[in-house]
Amino acid sequence: MKHPFHLKATWNGGRNSEGHIDAGGLKTVISIPQEMGGPGTGTNPDEMLLGAASTCYLITLAAMLERSDITPDELTLESEATVDVTNNIFTYERIVHRPRIVLKADASEADLTKAERLAHKAEESCMISRAVAGNVAIETQPLIITAGVNAV
């Protein structure tokens, strides 16, 4: 079964102008980021690729934890992307995901180990990660803790 997704975009002006996108649940202004010499209004392709990779990873991880009967007290994610600009060539180099999984205070050592394994496996299973594989390095640095104190 195939699932189509659609986006409509408008762009008014030259390089330092702004546009608008509408992809159903995502409606926003777009422009080149200030860090790259643009106006920095709305979002940009760099943030959207990071957002796609991060949300795909987080949803995949949540589903994998659920299928493994692990219900975290808290599941959060911080992700960071690195874009290199050399000789005016823009290269999206790397994404690092830092999930924080807080398990119940009575979680076993086996649950902690399984949660860490799933944190890494979710990256390999994420559709967006697979789509950029070979072009963007993706790394996962999980922090797995119990509602008490211990970390893996």
Side-chain angles (χ1 to χ4, degrees):
M1 183 183 318
K2 305 216 184 250
H3 302 279
F5 294 90
H6 302 276
L7 180 140
K8 291 182 182 180
T10 58
W11 189 266
N12 301 312
R15 179 190 186 281
N16 287 323
S17 296
E18 64 181 40
H20 295 83
I21 59 170
D22 181 339
L26 174 62
K27 297 171 181 34
T28 189
V29 174
I30 56 170
S31 74
I32 295 173
Q34 280 187 321
E35 300 85 356
M36 295 178 180
T41 54
T43 190
N44 57 69
D46 311 284
E47 290 174 344
M48 291 194 318
L49 181 56
L50 179 61
S54 298
T55 55
C56 181
Y57 171 79
L58 188 60
I59 291 167
T60 301
L61 176 57
M64 293 175 89
L65 289 167
E66 181 180 277
R67 283 192 302 270
S68 295
D69 293 321
I70 296 176
T71 305
D73 275 355
E74 184 180 331
L75 175 58
T76 58
L77 176 66
E78 291 186 18
S79 296
E80 179 181 329
T82 304
V83 175
D84 177 65
V85 182
T86 302
N87 298 326
N88 216 23
I89 296 172
F90 296 73
T91 304
Y92 211 103
E93 287 187 331
R94 174 183 173 145
I95 295 172
V96 178
H97 295 305
R98 295 181 184 94
R100 182 175 181 268
I101 304 170
V102 180
L103 300 180
K104 300 195 180 311
D106 63 351
S108 69
E109 199 61 41
D111 288 337
L112 289 164
T113 301
K114 185 187 286 186
E116 181 175 20
R117 184 178 54 80
L118 292 173
H120 290 287
K121 187 172 182 180
E123 186 54 55
E124 301 164 11
S125 302
C126 169
M127 172 181 65
I128 301 300
S129 298
R130 291 193 323 267
V132 300
N135 293 307
V136 178
I138 301 181
E139 182 181 341
T140 303
Q141 300 173 353
L143 175 64
I144 318 297
I145 61 176
T146 61
V149 179
N150 59 338
V152 173

